[in-house]
Amino acid sequence: MVDDKPREYCGLCGVTGGEGVLERLHAGLHSLQHRGQEAAGVMVGNGAECRLHKQPGLVGALFGCLPTAWLDPRFGIARGIGHVRYGTAGGSLAVNAQPLMVNMAGQTVGIAHNGTLCNAGALRRELQAEGALFQTTTDTELILHLMARALLRRCHGNLWEALAEALRQVQGAYSLLLMTADTMVAARDPYGWRPLAIADTSDGSYVVASETIAFGVTGATTLRDVEPGEMVIWDHNNRITSQRFAEAPRHAHCIFEHVYFARPGSRVFGDSVYEVRKAMGRQLAREAPVDADVIVPVPDSGLYAALGFAEQSGIPLDLALSRNHYVGRTFIDPALKASRLQQAGAKLQPIPEAIAGKRVCLIDDSIVRGNTSRSRVGSLRAAGAREVHLRVSCPPHRYGCFFGIDFPERAALFANQVPAGDLCRSLRLDSLHYLSQAGMLSCVKAHPPEDYCCACFDGQYPVRPEGLPDDL
Ligand code: SF4
C-alpha cells in the first residue's frame, strides 16, 4: 500500500435545498477525496425522480462526465448524496461503488455508507435463506434488504421507520446518507464510530458530510454532529425532524480519525483535528524527549504532530523530506500491488543539504507494516544523517479494525513482527518511541477518554465482531 498507511473506506456528502446542489456536492466530495480514491458516485433527485452516476476513479473525473440532462436547469436538482470509496470491505468490484439505488415499495431509494458492519455475514446468510438476492458484496446492500423486510412485516410503507427498524438489527460502524426523490436522511450508529456533521447555508441549503472540511468549500456553516444513534430527516420542504433509533452502552469514536485519517482543517467528534494533532506532538515530546539537531516531519500526515513536537522541545523543524505530489495521487487500484510498492519508494526523498551531519528526529503518525519506515531510515542515512530517531504520534498498532479501516492482517503489523525490544533495531534507528495510549487520549477534549475506540491499539473491541480470534 502506498505510504504503508491504513486506508479509510469512504467519505460522504449530501446536500438538500438551496441553490447549486450539484456544485455543492462536487465541492464537498472533492474535499473528502482523501477518504477514498477508488470510485466516486453521486445520486440526485428533483422531487419527482432520481438519477445516479458513479464510476471508478476520482471525483473530478466523475463530475467531468455527468449526463448532460443533469445540467439542464429544467431538471431542477433539489437534493443529492455522494460517496467516495476505497474498496476493500466487499472487494473492489465496480458494482460496489456507491450510492446504491433501488426501487423499494414503489419508491426510488438511494444509500451511501461509511463504515463496516460487524454482523454482516450472519445477516447476509439469514436474508439469503429467506430468498434475498444480492447484487453487490457490500455491507451497505444489507441495510436495503433489511429495510425492505421491515416494510413488508410491520412498517406499513413508512420508509424511514423501516430504516430505523433495519438499523436496530445491524451492529458495527456506519454513518449513512439516504434519499428519495423528495427527502434526505442522515444516520449514525449508536456507538458513533465514524464522523458525520451537518451545516447550513444562507440560501436555505443543508449540507451533511463526513468531515467539516466539506462545509467551507460549499459556503456552509457547521451546525452540529449527527449524534450517535440519531436519524435526521429532511422532508420535501427541507424541514428537519430527528429521532433516536437506538442507544449503545457507550460511545466509540475512532481515535484514528484524529491521528491520521481526517484532514487537519476538519473538526471531528467536536475537536479540531489540527489542534489534536499538534497536542499529540507536544505530548510525545514530553513523554519521549530526544537529543537531536532537527525535527523532520514525514509529509503530510506527520506534519502537525511535528509542529507540536518542535514547539514543545525547542528543536528547529525542517522540511527535509521532499514529496513527489504526482505519485499516489492518481487513480489507486488496490489490485496493483507492485505498482503501489514502486510508488511508496518514489514518493519521499531526503534533501541532503538539510540532513547531512545532523542528528535527525523523524515524526510520523503511525507505523503499519514498517517496510516504508525502514527504507526511509536507510535513505536518511545515505543522505548523510549522523543519527536517525523516530517518534510516532500514536501507540503501536497490534490488532485489526472491524469498524471501517483497512489494516493488514495482525501478523503483518510491524509491532507484531518483531519482539518489543527489537523494534528500534529492526528499523535501524538510534531510538524509537511511540505516544502512550493515555497520552494520545489526553489530547482530545470534547469527549472523555472512554468515549473513544482504541481497539487497534489495545484489542479492547467495543462490540465483538464476527471473525474475531478466540484469544481476543
Ligand atoms: S479499531 Fe482503530 S481504526 Fe478501527 S475504529 Fe477503532 S480506533 Fe479506529
Side-chain angles (χ1 to χ4, degrees):
M1 52 181 20
V2 177
D3 286 342
D4 186 26
K5 296 296 182 195
R7 294 283 156 190
E8 171 72 56
Y9 290 160
C10 302
L12 305 175
C13 183
V15 179
T16 179
E19 302 294 321
V21 169
L22 203 54
E23 289 80 359
R24 283 186 166 128
L25 278 169
H26 185 182
L29 268 189
H30 192 255
S31 72
L32 299 172
Q33 187 77 80
H34 60 291
R35 298 181 76 90
Q37 297 106 45
E38 187 202 350
V42 62
M43 175 175 165
V44 294
N46 65 359
E49 60 177 312
C50 294
R51 303 269 172 90
L52 173 69
H53 184 65
K54 53 188 178 178
Q55 63 183 44
L58 302 179
V59 172
L62 175 86
F63 279 84
C65 58
L66 288 178
T68 47
W70 289 33
L71 308 176
D72 185 338
R74 287 171 297 182
F75 183 61
I77 293 172
R79 59 194 51 79
I81 59 176
H83 187 267
V84 289
R85 170 179 169 81
Y86 173 77
T88 298
S92 303
L93 306 171
V95 74
N96 288 339
Q98 296 190 27
L100 304 180
M101 187 170 91
V102 296
N103 187 291
M104 190 181 298
Q107 290 190 76
T108 304
V109 180
I111 185 170
H113 172 201
N114 176 209
T116 302
L117 304 183
C118 300
N119 60 342
L123 286 172
R124 185 175 284 263
R125 287 190 293 277
E126 182 185 322
L127 287 159
Q128 282 172 329
E130 293 176 8
L133 300 173
F134 287 87
Q135 295 189 8
T136 75
T137 56
T138 63
D139 296 356
T140 316
E141 194 180 2
L142 282 168
I143 296 170
L144 294 173
H145 279 284
L146 291 169
M147 282 176 72
R149 188 168 76 172
L151 274 174
L152 271 178
R153 289 185 177 172
R154 53 186 165 270
C155 292
H156 309 297
N158 187 319
L159 211 52
W160 305 135
E161 267 182 43
L163 174 62
E165 176 69 22
L167 296 182
R168 283 190 279 270
Q169 297 168 63
V170 301
Q171 288 177 359
Y174 54 86
S175 285
L176 297 173
L177 287 173
L178 294 96
M179 64 173 284
T180 63
D182 62 359
T183 56
M184 187 175 92
V185 171
R188 197 162 161 227
D189 70 73
Y191 286 80
W193 260 289
R194 300 277 145 238
L196 194 63
I198 306 172
D200 67 356
T201 69
S202 57
D203 66 336
S205 175
Y206 288 92
V207 183
V208 185
S210 297
E211 293 181 33
T212 61
I213 193 82
F215 297 154
V217 293
T218 52
T221 306
T222 306
L223 287 175
R224 65 180 182 88
D225 284 350
V226 178
E227 295 298 326
E230 183 188 19
M231 182 190 300
V232 181
I233 303 169
W234 286 265
D235 72 7
H236 61 287
N237 285 321
N238 240 16
R239 282 187 303 246
I240 300 182
T241 54
S242 161
Q243 62 166 281
R244 292 292 172 130
F245 60 88
E247 298 288 338
R250 56 164 287 190
H251 289 160
H253 310 311
C254 172
I255 192 66
F256 209 54
E257 292 275 354
H258 273 299
V259 173
Y260 171 70
F261 283 120
R263 282 182 61 181
S266 290
R267 297 185 72 84
V268 299
F269 313 131
D271 279 309
S272 151
V273 176
Y274 163 82
E275 286 174 358
V276 170
R277 268 184 209 162
K278 273 185 83 175
M280 286 171 173
R282 287 194 296 270
Q283 179 65 19
L284 186 57
R286 284 190 284 269
E287 290 185 12
V290 63
D291 281 329
D293 302 310
V294 63
I295 303 297
V296 175
V298 175
D300 288 334
S301 50
L303 181 58
Y304 296 91
L307 284 171
F309 197 102
E311 186 181 298
Q312 181 69 32
S313 65
I315 301 169
L317 179 145
D318 203 355
L319 303 177
L321 286 172
S322 161
R323 177 172 164 187
N324 182 344
H325 289 269
Y326 301 96
V327 175
R329 277 290 158 221
T330 53
F331 173 54
I332 296 173
D333 182 342
L336 298 177
K337 292 198 175 106
S339 143
R340 287 189 291 150
L341 282 175
Q342 286 163 6
Q343 288 176 4
K347 193 163 183 177
L348 293 178
Q349 286 156 326
I351 301 171
E353 291 78 1
I355 289 166
K358 292 185 179 164
R359 297 170 299 167
V360 173
C361 181
L362 272 181
I363 308 291
D364 206 349
D365 55 66
S366 56
I367 305 175
V368 178
R369 292 176 193 267
N371 49 350
T372 312
S373 301
R374 194 172 290 114
S375 70
R376 190 164 296 139
V377 174
S379 67
L380 285 166
R381 292 200 190 279
R386 186 149 57 93
E387 294 176 14
V388 183
H389 306 263
L390 177 58
R391 299 293 180 268
V392 183
S393 60
C394 70
H397 278 99
R398 296 188 191 282
Y399 303 91
C401 173
F402 296 81
F403 313 113
I405 306 299
D406 172 25
F407 285 113
E409 61 199 32
R410 271 178 75 194
L413 292 169
F414 171 64
N416 295 335
Q417 287 173 25
V418 283
D422 289 342
L423 294 176
C424 178
R425 196 164 4 133
S426 153
L427 293 182
R428 304 183 199 110
L429 286 160
D430 292 285
S431 74
L432 166 67
H433 286 280
Y434 291 87
L435 184 60
S436 69
Q437 187 160 316
M440 172 177 72
L441 290 170
S442 73
C443 299
V444 284
K445 304 296 178 200
H447 302 278
E450 59 272 20
D451 278 0
Y452 290 85
C453 176
C454 296
C456 51
F457 304 112
D458 63 11
Q460 301 295 309
Y461 291 91
V463 297
R464 189 169 181 83
E466 287 173 338
L468 191 67
D470 290 341
D471 59 334
L472 285 176

